[in-house]
Amino acid sequence: MDVLKNLFKSNFRQYGMILALVLITVLFQILSDGILLKPLNVTNLIQQNSYILVLAIGMVLVIITGHIDLSVGSVAAFVGAVSAIMMVDHGMPFYIALILSLILGALVGAWQGFWIAYVRIPSFIVTLAGMLLFRGLTMVVLDGKSIAPFPKLFQKMSSGFLPDFDQDPSIHILTILMGLLLGAVTIIQEIKNRRAEQKYQFKVLLMPLFLAKLIAIVAVINIFTYVLAQYKGIPFILIVLFVLVVVYTFVMKRTVMGRHTYAIGGNEKAAKLSGIKTKRVTFWVFVNMGALAALSGLIYAARLNAATPKAGVNFELDAIAACFIGGASASGGIGTVIGAMIGGLVMGVMNNGMSLIGLGIDWQQGIKGLVLLMAVGFDIYNKNKTA
């Protein structure tokens, strides 16, 4: 029991939000009479929150470097509008429009990154200006009207599903197989990590706890894929999210770029003195944020099947909240991609759950605000305690 207590205590920051996500899910599952975890609703939950989760991946990097980006919602709307001009008005093939839109997003990020990294204007001011600028440009591009419909193939990016071996609607076999494969890969990876830690004489979990952890992870993966298999299987957008999470987690944990990003957020002056090109890293973090904001705008436009002047409103607030709820520190240097995903899911489950039980939008906003305040308050309390 002491081992468990010490384990939880030393990893409270990491496991606290996972526990909160589980408790919130169970609470709304009970309050909604079991509707929350029905296959159709779980699929909707993924598709409805995908564009916020994509933004949260870029935003957590920005927050780790000690900055903020208030413009991502407007950039997403602007890129969505330009993509509609290219695809709907000019009939451009969707894959060319998609690439050009991502490049446009990266250029917007470069514009803002230049002012922040090289001219040293605070990111709050630059991105606040960007929020106004790109919201205005969206209105100009769309001339105050919505543009629709997008090509069918483009819409599938947000609302399509992996095809199955046969057309039996009762269960999606490919999704079940992918769940089993992912479970097996996870077991192999965890065993490899454990052996590597033992090789360098790091402290590892006791064998019974390690086995319990493996069983829990594999059970969650397979239950999740089984639920998806009961509807239409794995949505395309979930694969996009999975690839992004794996790539960005690898970059932040295993590459020089990731270590430099954390170092800048921890202490920029010390990072500069140690030879890190702080301006260049900050610049590329904002370029990355711009590209992901563009991807988010494309996903939203594909889901809505239209580009509208009101697209992207409050996206930045949801993405920032997801990062802080997921454990990112307001002073920079701390945060993970996985944590941002968990924070985004906490927000998504709360939104969905409160809508299912018929809670008004006024109460929903208030409750989300309190959750955000508690998450940041916990961060400050934890930091003061360990100081």
Side-chain angles (χ1 to χ4, degrees):
M1 186 57 75
D2 288 341
V3 176
L4 278 174
K5 277 184 183 173
N6 290 333
L7 180 70
F8 188 75
K9 205 172 173 183
S10 59
N11 294 281
F12 186 68
R13 190 188 189 94
Q14 183 182 351
Y15 297 143
M17 272 304 115
I18 297 176
L19 186 62
L21 177 60
V22 172
L23 291 176
I24 289 169
T25 304
V26 171
L27 174 68
F28 283 113
Q29 173 71 357
I30 295 168
L31 292 177
S32 65
D33 294 327
I35 297 174
L36 183 77
L37 293 181
K38 283 195 170 177
L40 172 61
N41 195 57
V42 171
T43 304
N44 283 337
L45 196 60
I46 295 166
Q47 292 178 329
Q48 284 169 359
N49 292 282
S50 54
Y51 37 89
I52 298 299
L53 295 177
V54 169
L55 284 178
I57 292 172
M59 188 65 76
V60 75
L61 269 64
V62 171
I63 289 173
I64 287 170
T65 55
H67 294 285
I68 201 78
D69 193 336
L70 301 176
S71 68
V72 291
S74 298
V75 174
F78 174 61
V79 174
V82 174
S83 71
I85 300 286
M86 289 191 280
M87 281 185 266
V88 180
D89 287 358
H90 297 286
M92 186 181 289
F94 85 93
Y95 49 89
I96 296 176
L98 196 142
I99 294 168
L100 291 177
S101 297
L102 292 177
I103 293 171
L104 176 63
L107 289 173
V108 168
W111 162 261
Q112 300 194 126
F114 167 76
W115 294 105
I116 294 163
Y118 293 102
V119 186
R120 307 293 294 172
I121 298 176
S123 57
F124 182 87
I125 303 298
V126 173
T127 56
L128 180 62
M131 181 171 77
L132 299 172
L133 171 64
F134 295 107
R135 179 61 59 189
L137 286 175
T138 304
M139 300 289 284
V140 171
V141 168
L142 292 176
D143 197 20
K145 299 176 290 189
S146 296
I147 298 180
F150 282 102
K152 292 284 182 193
L153 280 174
F154 178 71
Q155 291 176 44
K156 283 194 173 183
M157 180 175 75
S158 190
S159 55
F161 294 84
L162 274 184
D164 200 5
F165 299 116
D166 57 39
Q167 301 302 314
D168 180 7
S170 61
I171 198 83
H172 199 276
I173 301 297
L174 182 60
T175 300
I176 299 288
L177 291 177
M178 289 186 74
L180 292 172
L181 179 66
L182 185 58
V185 171
T186 304
I187 290 173
I188 294 167
Q189 190 60 43
E190 286 288 331
I191 292 172
K192 278 175 69 179
N193 290 344
R194 181 183 171 84
R195 285 178 179 167
E197 287 173 356
Q198 284 175 325
K199 187 179 172 186
Y200 293 104
Q201 300 184 334
F202 287 128
K203 206 172 178 180
V204 295
L205 282 177
L206 296 172
M207 184 51 80
L209 289 176
F210 179 68
L211 290 175
K213 179 185 168 186
L214 284 184
I215 291 169
I217 292 173
V218 173
V220 168
I221 290 172
N222 283 285
I223 290 171
F224 177 64
T225 49
Y226 177 70
V227 171
L228 292 179
Q230 291 179 73
Y231 182 52
K232 291 183 179 177
I234 297 176
F236 283 138
I237 196 61
L238 186 60
I239 296 171
V240 174
L241 276 171
F242 179 76
V243 171
L244 287 175
V245 168
V246 170
V247 169
Y248 278 89
T249 300
F250 177 80
V251 168
M252 293 305 287
K253 282 190 172 179
R254 302 289 178 88
T255 68
V256 174
M257 176 70 180
R259 287 194 288 275
H260 285 181
T261 306
Y262 279 109
I264 291 172
N267 188 328
E268 187 175 358
K269 193 175 280 185
K272 196 171 184 179
L273 289 172
S274 66
I276 295 172
K277 297 186 185 308
T278 55
K279 292 179 182 177
R280 186 187 296 177
V281 174
T282 304
F283 174 78
W284 282 108
V285 164
F286 276 92
V287 172
N288 174 71
M289 182 73 258
L292 288 179
L295 179 59
S296 173
L298 291 168
I299 292 169
Y300 185 75
R303 176 166 173 75
L304 210 61
N305 192 22
T308 70
K310 293 291 182 188
V313 173
N314 289 341
F315 278 16
E316 58 281 344
L317 301 183
D318 285 341
I320 292 167
C323 295
F324 287 134
I325 290 172
S329 172
S331 54
I334 296 173
T336 61
V337 173
I338 297 291
M341 292 297 98
I342 293 170
L345 288 175
V346 168
M347 294 282 289
V349 171
M350 284 176 57
N351 281 335
N352 189 266
M354 288 189 288
S355 298
L356 286 176
I357 62 174
L359 212 58
I361 191 72
D362 44 357
W363 280 104
Q364 290 188 28
Q365 296 291 344
I367 291 170
K368 283 194 292 181
L370 282 175
V371 170
L372 176 61
L373 184 64
M374 283 190 288
V376 177
F378 171 74
D379 171 56
I380 302 291
Y381 169 77
N382 206 32
K383 196 175 290 176
N384 291 338
K385 199 176 172 185
T386 53

